[in-house]
């Protein structure tokens, strides 16, 4: 798809599988502590992925001053530094473990092509509180091309970046990827879901990537081969707060998910037609007291402001073929009032090789 016709005629196409790790976390405007251990978020107990996509919301407090400043370079560098340290520490530890196992088995192995690899950031971009950063194994870097970003503000006055999306496009070998990191409209009142739907519709219609007439690159989100949407989508549960809390206390996830607003949209196809989500088997990710495992409002004697019933606000969904999800879970960080979510995928990628 991305090679010119003269070159393609001398090449054959194979399908290879690459692993993706996707995570989304609303950090509630709290800067990361210098000693924050990102390894827990990156699920380091399992094998390293080929590509890591991490999306954040509210990396700055969403106040009147911050919404007119689209970027905070120092804060983004702080998050990226923590991610770099964690990923490359894991990579080094895996190499050491592999060498120890080889020595114990007293066998001679061919050189591991990944033994000298590390992770590098291929792109990161902030729009007010929305921040996406993507990391890849170093051997993949020569095959990642046409990287670009498109940001859409859907917040105050319909365009400021306190709500909206940052989308990243790139091509790995001959397959195009698009990752949409978003923060949709908040609110737990009846009808608030319509504004979330409107935000999603705006993101789909207004996101545009640069065109290249020679490469025939996709410009819109749904034109890409592999598409994943992550973020604080803010969808709530169609139940009274007392009923929701009772079902959460009983861990009745299946009953709650029947009334989940995003699940309803996926079923009915009003805005997310054709999108998919893996089965949820974890507790709602919102809203917690910071530095606590207790949901906001669990103390009946406490004076509270706006109602904040538990909900699965933080989600990862995908569109199209060629993606197979293997895990969907949440992390247990107490930094903010949200818990992060993460997922792993296997992505099919078209790879060209010379004809012999």
């Amino acid at each position: 798809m991305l090679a010119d016709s003269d070159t393609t005629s001398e090449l054959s196409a194979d399908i290879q599988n690459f692993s993706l790790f996707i995570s989304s976390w609303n950090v509630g405007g709290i800067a990361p502590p210098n000693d924050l251990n990102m390894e827990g978020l990156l699920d380091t107990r399992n094998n390293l992925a080929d590509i890591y996509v991490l999306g954040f919301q509210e990396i700055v407090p969403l106040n009147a001053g911050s919404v007119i400043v689209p970027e905070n370079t120092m804060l983004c560098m702080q998050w990226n530094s923590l991610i770099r340290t964690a990923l490359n520490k894991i990579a080094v530890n895996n190499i050491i473990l592999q060498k120890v196992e080889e020595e114990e088995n007293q066998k001679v192995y061919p050189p591991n092509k990944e033994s000298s690899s590390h992770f590098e950031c291929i792109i990161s971009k902030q729009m007010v509180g929305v921040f996406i950063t993507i990391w890849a194994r170093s051997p993949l870097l020569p095959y990642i091309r046409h990287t670009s970003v498109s940001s859409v503000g859907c917040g105050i006055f319909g365009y400021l970046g306190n709500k909206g999306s940052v989308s990243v496009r790139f091509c790995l070998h001959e397959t195009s990827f698009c990752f949409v990191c978003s923060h949709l409209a908040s609110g737990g009142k009846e009808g608030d879901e319509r504004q979330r739907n409107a935000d999603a519709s705006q993101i789909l219609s207004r996101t545009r990537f640069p065109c290249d007439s020679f490469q025939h690159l996709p410009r819109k989100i749904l034109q890409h081969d592999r598409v994943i949407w992550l973020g604080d989508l803010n969808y709530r549960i169609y139940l009274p707060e007392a009923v929701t809390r009772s079902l959460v206390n009983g861990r009745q996830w299946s009953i709650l998910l029947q009334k989940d607003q995003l699940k309803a949209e996926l079923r009915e196809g009003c805005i997310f037609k054709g999108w998919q989500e893996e089965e949820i088997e974890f507790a709602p990710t919102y809203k917690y007291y910071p530095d606590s495992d207790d949901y906001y409002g669990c103390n009946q004697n406490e004076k509270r402001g706006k109602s904040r019933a538990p909900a699965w606000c933080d989600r990862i969904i995908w569109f199209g073929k060629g993606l197979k999800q293997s895990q969907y879970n949440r992390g247990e960080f107490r930094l903010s009032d949200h818990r992060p979510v993460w997922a792993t995928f296997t992505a099919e990628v078209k790879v060209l090789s010379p004809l012999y």
Side-chain angles (χ1 to χ4, degrees), residues 84-234:
R84 177 181 294 106
T85 298
L87 282 177
N88 289 314
K89 177 183 176 182
I90 301 160
V92 169
N93 287 346
N94 280 7
I95 293 168
I96 293 172
L97 179 61
Q98 178 190 357
K99 289 181 177 178
V100 169
E101 290 174 346
E102 291 173 0
E103 291 172 359
E104 289 177 349
N105 293 331
Q106 295 182 345
K107 294 180 180 179
V108 177
Y109 290 84
N112 185 341
K113 65 179 180 180
E114 296 177 350
S115 63
S116 61
S117 71
H118 60 281
F119 286 89
E120 293 189 21
C121 181
I122 62 172
I123 192 168
S124 65
K125 178 66 176 177
Q126 176 195 4
M127 180 191 71
V128 188
V130 180
F131 176 55
I132 186 170
T133 178
I134 301 182
W135 299 71
R137 290 183 185 271
S138 52
L140 290 183
L141 299 181
Y143 307 103
I144 295 175
R145 298 167 291 145
H146 310 301
T147 305
S148 59
V149 177
S150 177
S151 300
V152 173
C154 301
I156 301 170
F157 306 124
Y159 70 89
L160 288 184
N162 58 305
K163 294 293 189 292
S165 67
V166 179
S167 301
V168 171
R169 183 275 309 282
F170 63 80
C171 298
L172 173 59
H173 289 282
E174 305 305 309
T175 298
S176 61
F177 286 79
C178 181
F179 299 97
V180 182
C181 178
S182 73
H183 192 183
L184 305 186
S186 60
K189 302 189 304 296
E190 182 179 352
D192 285 342
E193 72 278 5
R194 290 194 288 272
Q195 185 57 54
R196 294 186 266 278
N197 291 348
D199 286 354
S201 179
Q202 286 290 307
I203 289 167
L204 287 168
S205 63
R206 290 168 52 195
T207 298
R208 288 288 188 279
F209 296 101
C211 64
D212 186 326
S213 57
F214 296 101
Q215 297 290 345
H216 305 291
L217 296 171
R219 296 200 65 196
K220 301 180 70 174
I221 291 171
L222 298 183
Q223 293 173 345
H224 291 79
D225 299 316
R226 314 283 180 259
V227 184
I228 297 177
W229 191 317
L230 56 141
D232 180 358
L233 307 190
N234 251 322

